[in-house]
Amino acid sequence: MKRLLITGAAGNLGKILREGLKGYADVLRLSDIAPMDPAGPGEEVVPCDLSDRSAVHELTKDCDGIIHLGGISVEAAFDDLLQANFLGTYNLYEGARKNGKPRILFASSNHAIGFHKRTTKLDDKSELRPDSLYGVTKCYGEALASYYFDKFDVETVSLRIGSCFEKPRDRRMLSTWMSPRDFISLMKAVFDAPMTGHLVMYGVSNNRTKWWSNDHAELIGWQPLDSSEIFRAEIEAAFPVEDRHDPAVIYQGGGFAAKGHFED
Amino acid sequence: MKRLLITGAAGNLGKILREGLKGYADVLRLSDIAPMDPAGPGEEVVPCDLSDRSAVHELTKDCDGIIHLGGISVEAAFDDLLQANFLGTYNLYEGARKNGKPRILFASSNHAIGFHKRTTKLDDKSELRPDSLYGVTKCYGEALASYYFDKFDVETVSLRIGSCFEKPRDRRMLSTWMSPRDFISLMKAVFDAPMTGHLVMYGVSNNRTKWWSNDHAELIGWQPLDSSEIFRAEIEAAFPVEDRHDPAVIYQGGGFAAKGHFED
Amino acid sequence: MKRLLITGAAGNLGKILREGLKGYADVLRLSDIAPMDPAGPGEEVVPCDLSDRSAVHELTKDCDGIIHLGGISVEAAFDDLLQANFLGTYNLYEGARKNGKPRILFASSNHAIGFHKRTTKLDDKSELRPDSLYGVTKCYGEALASYYFDKFDVETVSLRIGSCFEKPRDRRMLSTWMSPRDFISLMKAVFDAPMTGHLVMYGVSNNRTKWWSNDHAELIGWQPLDSSEIFRAEIEAAFPVEDRHDPAVIYQGGGFAAKGHFED
Amino acid sequence: MKRLLITGAAGNLGKILREGLKGYADVLRLSDIAPMDPAGPGEEVVPCDLSDRSAVHELTKDCDGIIHLGGISVEAAFDDLLQANFLGTYNLYEGARKNGKPRILFASSNHAIGFHKRTTKLDDKSELRPDSLYGVTKCYGEALASYYFDKFDVETVSLRIGSCFEKPRDRRMLSTWMSPRDFISLMKAVFDAPMTGHLVMYGVSNNRTKWWSNDHAELIGWQPLDSSEIFRAEIEAAFPVEDRHDPAVIYQGGGFAAKGHFED
Amino acid sequence: MKRLLITGAAGNLGKILREGLKGYADVLRLSDIAPMDPAGPGEEVVPCDLSDRSAVHELTKDCDGIIHLGGISVEAAFDDLLQANFLGTYNLYEGARKNGKPRILFASSNHAIGFHKRTTKLDDKSELRPDSLYGVTKCYGEALASYYFDKFDVETVSLRIGSCFEKPRDRRMLSTWMSPRDFISLMKAVFDAPMTGHLVMYGVSNNRTKWWSNDHAELIGWQPLDSSEIFRAEIEAAFPVEDRHDPAVIYQGGGFAAKGHFED
Amino acid sequence: MKRLLITGAAGNLGKILREGLKGYADVLRLSDIAPMDPAGPGEEVVPCDLSDRSAVHELTKDCDGIIHLGGISVEAAFDDLLQANFLGTYNLYEGARKNGKPRILFASSNHAIGFHKRTTKLDDKSELRPDSLYGVTKCYGEALASYYFDKFDVETVSLRIGSCFEKPRDRRMLSTWMSPRDFISLMKAVFDAPMTGHLVMYGVSNNRTKWWSNDHAELIGWQPLDSSEIFRAEIEAAFPVEDRHDPAVIYQGGGFAAKGHFED
């Protein structure tokens, strides 16, 4: 792969991939609206506001693949999501369509299905039940990806990411955690796959508790190697036992499902 | 029912309901951004731009039900859809949430699933496959409705409308046609139902060809009475035989699925 | 059919069948623990306590079919259900097994699945979710019927009866009503069928609202002819609009699901 | 439609269609290995042995549609089926492929699924369970049709025919009967449909007992109008009650499932 | 966990847990109708007849969890099952309901689904097909558990136990065996889980042959570590090859499915 | 096992088993129409043309199991397939039926489902979509096996073999490869299983990419131990990157799906 674009490169996930995908492509083109470290060898740093269509058009030129982490990744005011996530993702797909149709990894989220209970096993065909306006933007992104593949042959893997940090940060993440190492190997599996069409899959490590069946990840040969289990004792010592009547415990989306309207 | 709000009241569907629902509520509050006929008895006419949040907040006060037909109902430039359909629908749901949580009929569309082939029978659990940016806005609207019910107890029926005109306008509509009479009875079934939660259903008459199973419509007791069959001879005389290699024939979305990007 | 046994013949359903099945068999053997009218032509009246095993053994001799309506048909103290429904149904199946294995119609109930919401369409494979101890006894009866067919070749139709009265008695029954006429024709379909094995089906007329798919009823050729719709105006005038936050409205089991423990 | 080929035109089904489809196409080309009545107006009579590839190649020229009833339609010696059904159907598909790819109605049979019990409701996705070597040839034909559509774009409707006679001939046919009138209207629905791809459906009238869900028939707009019910009294008077331990009663395939090997 | 009640503590499974759960709770309250060893440190020994409601009410006070192994665990006379399993389990749930609603592990059994064939893969949604009166009592227990959760918020894991012994005791148990170690870890997973609602799962080790998918066990993070494979040679040497026409081999329930009525 | 017949013993798969199953049965009876090495200890070499019924009748005498690899295993002219695969497999099943009904391993193929896309996960219930006339013969064989079990109690495992060679031979085989070692252990699992009825399963190693769920293999306790992953570097170095618009890449059947008619 010659050039791989990563949007949202200044964020947590972006930094993991900037480090982890070093050398995977000849050039990593790193983009964000926030400040980024200067380009190192094999890197291009291209600041870009995703709501600026012509800027995004330039950004997406000459890429063989796009990892779209950009936009807002937490609950936010609708007007902000409108620009960053609705408009931004559209601009990105238009850029891809006009610039050679590279495959896209769309960073969807477990918050697209966060209002399912933890006592329900999901798979890639489960009903969408977003737990936040943020989750709604991810449902939108998956629908847009479906459309761009069906009509324009732009391939996407819509990855419903659990919680990707160095280690789990609370008890819920013992179930939703995806290790940086697994995230990196997943990116490679996505771009190495001979074809993907539009596939929905879950981004989660091989944790002891499993909420999500992941057939589509198996189709492209991704096998997570890590498990949150090694952090269990530490996490359980640091966080109180969960209350099963707390909406943040009942629903897969955790705190996102539990909290009220962002602006209230 | 005391007051029923209809957005998009100046459009084709809006006019059908303005006439057909006369007397169903004490007051029909009719709203559109386009000009409307002056209010008759039992009517309020309230011009409103759905992208204006405070105006929508006023619009949605004191309603016992909302039929949300407003926004753009054909393929359009994304920036226009962003205002009318993405922002507009959000504003409407926020208005409903803050103003007593009346039940909402969301006018979704068959274009949310338009890239399924005509040789596939769908139901309310079928995969979303939008055939247009317009269709993507309907996927978004259904996700938003799901969220508002799960979190805020605002009920919605997301109705994937086929083709609602006086009579079918081409051969495809022999399958997708919903008569005005059936549309009106469906509206009554939606608001008469004791509860709906968030239900996805199809808006189609009892035509001879059936692409869609409609379990959820049966749950609320809707039984379409009309069939496009009485127009078959007329339609078949007026329109050429369909070419099975034409994308407009292959896919349920018809012309929406067949055409390229709106702005190209 | 020479002799058809009806248990619970003194109850509401029993009376409907005593009248409706006149002449269907050479002899109707009518049994109950409560007083019954004296035997007319083509009738035998056999008082019996279903918890008395040897009495039930005698009762079930020389029958070609059994309609088992006996036992308690409302919520009750567990100890009463233990005798009438748990022990009584076992005694009946033992009697049938030892006396020539006539086919059995087991009067199950919608209360075996009453904790499903009204916004969920069920079929014969839906999860059991009893709404009462009474409903639990019906789950037990269906399991017992399954066992007696698999091991002893005693056939059963487990009929999850909705609400069988002359007419609906509240708004919920507009959905669950089965007319006496349809109930009678269903009994004939059950005993006329060449084979049934153990089939679960729903006993409900062709009402406008449909909560239950009834494939198994179609397998034996039952077609309900009546609809509650003719009583709608009368019922809606007599009963207040349902409150969608009332458990008796939310759940299919209605009041059975809503009320607390019987003995509290 | 200019020319419609019917193979097996000398048989029972062929005669029904020769009469019933008069005028549906400009020319009916009628073919069989057995003697046929001479051609009337709008007819061509073309004797043909389906196992003769070059003859079939000629036979299939200049047709806009093919109804393939030819071959052996009862249980038979394998060597005879090898020629008539295996080789004959292949020759027909090769002829169609090379001669303009007209749509094909393949006369499959309920005997392709005849080892399912009568207490099981089937649909178009049910497991194949042939009840005879004849039934195996129908499974083969459906597989061949799938292949010719996927690879060569030759469309087929594989119709699992129940029992098509003037009236039912035994008690089982009260469930499997398809009236000649319904069969004829089904043929028109098949060839009038804008597209079919490869669809499996069931050929059965609107009888009281229903073993088969028929979604695909609805997709092309076929609605059977007749029911075997009008013959019930006559049939039940003429044939003894069915024994539920008789394999001919247990299995949907009836006598085909019950009998042993053809040549033993 | 402060106090964990184990009923049926004098039985095989009870002894395994008495030893294996030492220290898991501050106090293990051990109860049975049969004699038990005297209480050791961290233990309470409370003899109790489960059919004695007030005794069970006392027994279930001040517990944080209940493992309900009590009752009869083999095929038995119905009248004995009526007291021990029907009444006993009801008494236990009533006790739990009135005493703070601790979570319950209900020892269900593979005999609740024992009339499925060994050539059928089951999951938690598979049809109940009990193979014995004992199996019927387990279907009842699962239904009761469902009811107590839906109505009273008493959580249960209904565990369909295979065969829990030190090692497999016949060839069938190579498939159904659960090691004591796995059983113990499963108990911990059940009571450590943040929420369970009512979940049905299978109690079986990671044996080479797998009859049961176990999604719900994954939801609470149980991973069996043992396999019967290490005993295969020993078992196959000791027991004759199984006869595939023997009902004890055909059905998952083994000998329970094969034998006739208990009292005949 | 006393005598195990292997047809097609001179082919690639046959040679693997001749070597790998040495000692598994007292006698391996090896048969092919092509020349074979002379019989070694514990071997019988029996040349046979599978289209010769009486020869096959002799061949199948006194066997306790049959591994049917014989016939043509690549795309071929229909007339050749008619003899070798259609007639040959029938002769084999007739031989088995008349000679004691030994269990049969039928070498089906992934080409029976080869027109499914690589982005679709399949299981044993997936729709048949053969990609070649060869694939059609495998659909036929599976149907024949179903029939012989349902009617004559001849058991079969229909094994849809991926690609069984020493190592993968192209990039596609990284997904479809089954190692010889896994193939051999699978054969033992098939004949060691207490019962199989008719089971469809997939013959594929534990490769990184998984297109096929294999529940039925788990039922009989087969666990593949090898993975193609150790050959990935070598294969990727030797073969160019796959083009996702190439039918040989799009469809699971690879080159079989991509090529046109054999004889054109």
Side-chain angles (χ1 to χ4, degrees), chain A residues 53 78-79 86 90 94 97 115 129-132 136 139-140 143 146-147 150-151 256-257 259 261 264, chain B residues 53 78-79 86 90 94 97 115 128-132 139-140 143 146-147 150-151 256-257 259 261 264:
Chain A
R53 192 163 306 158
F78 189 81
D79 294 339
F86 288 100
Y90 172 71
E94 272 299 280
R97 181 176 76 87
F115 255 124
R129 295 190 70 173
D131 60 20
S132 52
V136 171
C139 297
Y140 153 79
S146 169
Y147 167 66
D150 279 343
K151 184 164 281 183
F256 278 60
K259 68 189 163 194
H261 193 64
D264 283 351
Chain B
R53 192 164 304 158
F78 188 82
D79 293 339
F86 288 100
Y90 172 71
E94 272 300 279
R97 181 176 76 88
F115 256 123
L128 290 171
R129 295 190 70 174
D131 61 17
S132 52
C139 297
Y140 152 79
S146 170
Y147 166 67
D150 279 342
K151 185 165 281 183
F256 279 59
K259 68 188 163 196
H261 193 65
D264 285 350

Side-chain angles (χ1 to χ4, degrees), chain D residues 53 79 97 129 150 264, chain F residues 53 79 97 129 150 264:
Chain D
R53 192 164 305 158
D79 294 339
R97 181 176 75 87
R129 296 189 70 172
D150 279 341
D264 285 351
Chain F
R53 191 163 305 157
D79 294 339
R97 180 176 76 88
R129 294 189 71 173
D150 279 342
D264 284 352

Side-chain angles (χ1 to χ4, degrees), chain C residues 53 75 77-79 82-83 86-87 90-91 94 97-98 115-116 125 127-133 136 139-140 143-144 146-152 198 251 255-264, chain E residues 53 75 77-79 82-83 86-87 90-91 94 97-98 115-116 125 127-133 136 139-140 143-144 146-152 198 251 255-264:
Chain C
R53 191 163 306 156
E75 186 60 328
F78 189 82
D79 294 339
L82 198 68
Q83 295 304 309
F86 287 101
L87 178 56
Y90 172 71
N91 287 343
E94 273 300 280
R97 180 176 77 87
K98 292 183 173 164
F115 256 124
H116 286 280
K125 289 174 189 62
E127 188 187 9
L128 289 171
R129 295 190 71 173
D131 60 18
S132 51
L133 292 175
V136 171
C139 297
Y140 152 79
L144 194 72
S146 170
Y147 166 67
Y148 269 85
F149 177 65
D150 279 342
K151 184 164 279 182
F152 304 118
H198 177 226
Y251 298 109
F256 278 60
K259 67 189 162 195
H261 193 65
F262 182 77
E263 295 173 48
D264 284 350
Chain E
R53 193 164 303 159
E75 184 61 327
F78 188 81
D79 294 338
L82 197 68
Q83 295 303 310
F86 288 100
L87 178 56
Y90 172 71
N91 287 343
E94 272 300 279
R97 181 175 76 86
K98 293 183 173 166
F115 256 124
H116 286 280
K125 289 175 190 62
E127 188 186 10
L128 290 171
R129 295 189 71 173
D131 60 19
S132 51
L133 293 175
V136 171
C139 297
Y140 153 78
L144 194 72
S146 169
Y147 167 66
Y148 268 84
F149 177 66
D150 280 342
K151 184 163 281 182
F152 304 118
H198 177 225
Y251 297 109
F256 279 60
K259 67 191 166 194
H261 193 64
F262 181 79
E263 297 173 47
D264 284 352

Side-chain angles (χ1 to χ4, degrees), chain B residues 39 61 74 78 122 131 134 148 153 155 238:
Chain B
K61 280 187 173 159
V74 292
F78 188 82
L122 303 186
D131 61 17
Y134 167 68
Y148 269 85
D153 194 34
E155 291 187 302

Side-chain angles (χ1 to χ4, degrees), chain D residues 57-112:
Chain D
H57 184 81
E58 287 307 302
L59 178 68
T60 51
K61 280 188 174 158
D62 302 317
C63 297
D64 307 297
I66 300 176
I67 297 175
H68 180 48
L69 312 172
I72 297 171
S73 60
V74 292
E75 184 60 328
F78 188 81
D79 294 339
D80 294 336
L81 293 167
L82 197 69
Q83 295 303 310
N85 290 23
F86 288 100
L87 178 56
T89 302
Y90 172 71
N91 287 343
L92 188 101
Y93 271 86
E94 271 300 280
R97 181 176 75 87
K98 292 184 173 166
N99 286 309
K101 304 185 177 180
R103 184 177 296 163
I104 297 173
L105 182 289
F106 171 62
S108 184
S109 165
N110 71 83
H111 297 294

